[in-house]
Amino acid sequence: MNDPIQTCVVVAGDPAVSNLTEIARSASGHTLAVVVGPRTVADAIAGAGVHEVVWCGEPAEETPVEAYAPEVARLVTRSAPRIVVGAATPAGRALLGAVAAATGAAVLSGITAVRVEDGRVVVDQERYGGIAGRTLAVTSGPAVLAVDPGTPVVAGDAVTPVAPVTPVTVTPRDGVRITGTEPRTHDTVDLARARVVVGIGRGLKEQADLALIEDLAAALGAEIACSRPLAEGSGWVGKERYLGISGQRIAPELYLAIGISGQLQHMAGVRDARTVVAVNSDKNAPVFGRCDYGVIGDLYRIVPALTTTLKA
Ligand SMILES: Cc1cc2nc3c(=O)[nH]c(=O)nc-3n(C[C@H](O)[C@H](O)[C@H](O)COP(=O)(O)OP(=O)(O)OC[C@H]3O[C@@H](n4cnc5c(N)ncnc54)[C@H](O)[C@@H]3O)c2cc1C
């Protein structure tokens, strides 16, 4: 009988790794998790369907998770995995990078699924922010996969018996220290939870005109989002509010795209919205090919009219 596929889940301090453990389970082999972070995180992972947890301990306050990369790579390679899965977060990527360097493998990002076919590891990869996809077969070396992390796994939600947690003593690499931390000062909007989102684009002439959009959003009980130029270019809207392949991806019930041309790079961020309504003065704007309802017209007339109607 063939040996079971060995999968390694690399956890960089954060228990929000439901997608990682799900992908590991789908490989249907033996799964070892290597965890850097609080013991509570190791315990949560132990209840998430893995077979074994190696716990590297919790970094001291001034030590970043990244300093554990060489030791994590050593522990992972020791188990000779065919698949290594980690979170596509700054710390997760650092740990995966060390594993890849140690094994001569490439890190594959945007991975949504993994399976084993005829002894080969086959992965599905999102391209261009999910507009397209492709399938890759990893024919030699481990498949080192960066995955969107997902929701937190919680101790007590065990899907199989809780795995044993083995503490190991590892020494983080000297030479990198946290010298200061500060809270984010800007808005921390959670667009992912919003049921209705109003997106504004370069059709807006002046920053002061945002008041029109705020009125509409208030009447709809909506959050405000934008296209990239309004966040990265003019800076009229916070960077955490722009949608698209390089911004946020959301799945609201209703998305209103106002004065947005509807380039694929933007629309990739709302492709899971249930209903998309576009307002644009150019009847040939691409957004009209990518929405459920379109209104051709000047936003400076349509938005106030919509707000008045909603308020009434
Ligand atoms: C690698 C890369 C990544 C990118 N990632 C992103 C991303 O994540 N998110 C993103 O948004 N973009 C992204 N972009 C940029 C993207 O390609 C577009 O340039 C951008 O989305 C356009 O923003 P916009 O629709 O606001 O502006 P424009 O394309 O300039 O469109 C403005 C629209 O407003 C309409 N308009 C003008 N006046 C009015 C009016 N009075 N009433 C109604 N409509 C009006 C116009 O007809 C036009 O269609 C990326 C680009 C690259 C190259």
Side-chain angles (χ1 to χ4, degrees), residues 157-190:
D157 281 356
V159 292
T160 59
V162 175
V165 177
T166 309
V168 290
T169 306
V170 296
T171 312
R173 178 64 60 88
D174 228 359
V176 51
R177 284 265 172 278
I178 298 171
T179 57
T181 55
E182 33 189 275
R184 290 157 67 129
T185 48
H186 55 79
D187 229 352
T188 51
V189 61
D190 191 356

Side-chain angles (χ1 to χ4, degrees), residues 98-110:
V99 172
T103 55
V107 179
L108 301 174
S109 60

Side-chain angles (χ1 to χ4, degrees), residues 46-122:
V50 304
H51 299 94
E52 205 184 333
V53 177
V54 168
W55 178 47
C56 301
E58 182 170 3
E61 209 175 318
E62 74 283 3
T63 308
V65 169
E66 286 87 337
Y68 286 72
E71 287 290 287
V72 167
R74 185 179 60 78
L75 292 165
V76 168
T77 50
R78 205 173 59 181
S79 71
R82 291 287 308 283
I83 301 168
V84 182
V85 195
T89 58
R93 286 196 194 96
L95 301 188
L96 287 177
V99 172
T103 55
V107 179
L108 301 174
S109 60
I111 300 306
T112 55
V114 63
R115 57 200 169 275
V116 179
E117 287 174 6
D118 301 328
R120 294 181 318 172
V121 177
V122 176

Side-chain angles (χ1 to χ4, degrees), residues 201-203 205 227-229 242-247 259-263 265-266 279-282 285 297-300:
R202 252 190 322 212
K205 304 285 177 274
S227 62
R228 189 164 88 163
Y242 88 82
L243 308 176
I245 53 169
S246 30
I260 290 179
S261 56
Q263 301 300 328
Q265 291 95 341
H266 178 80
V279 177
N280 198 302
S281 51
D282 175 6
D298 183 351
L299 74 88
Y300 286 90

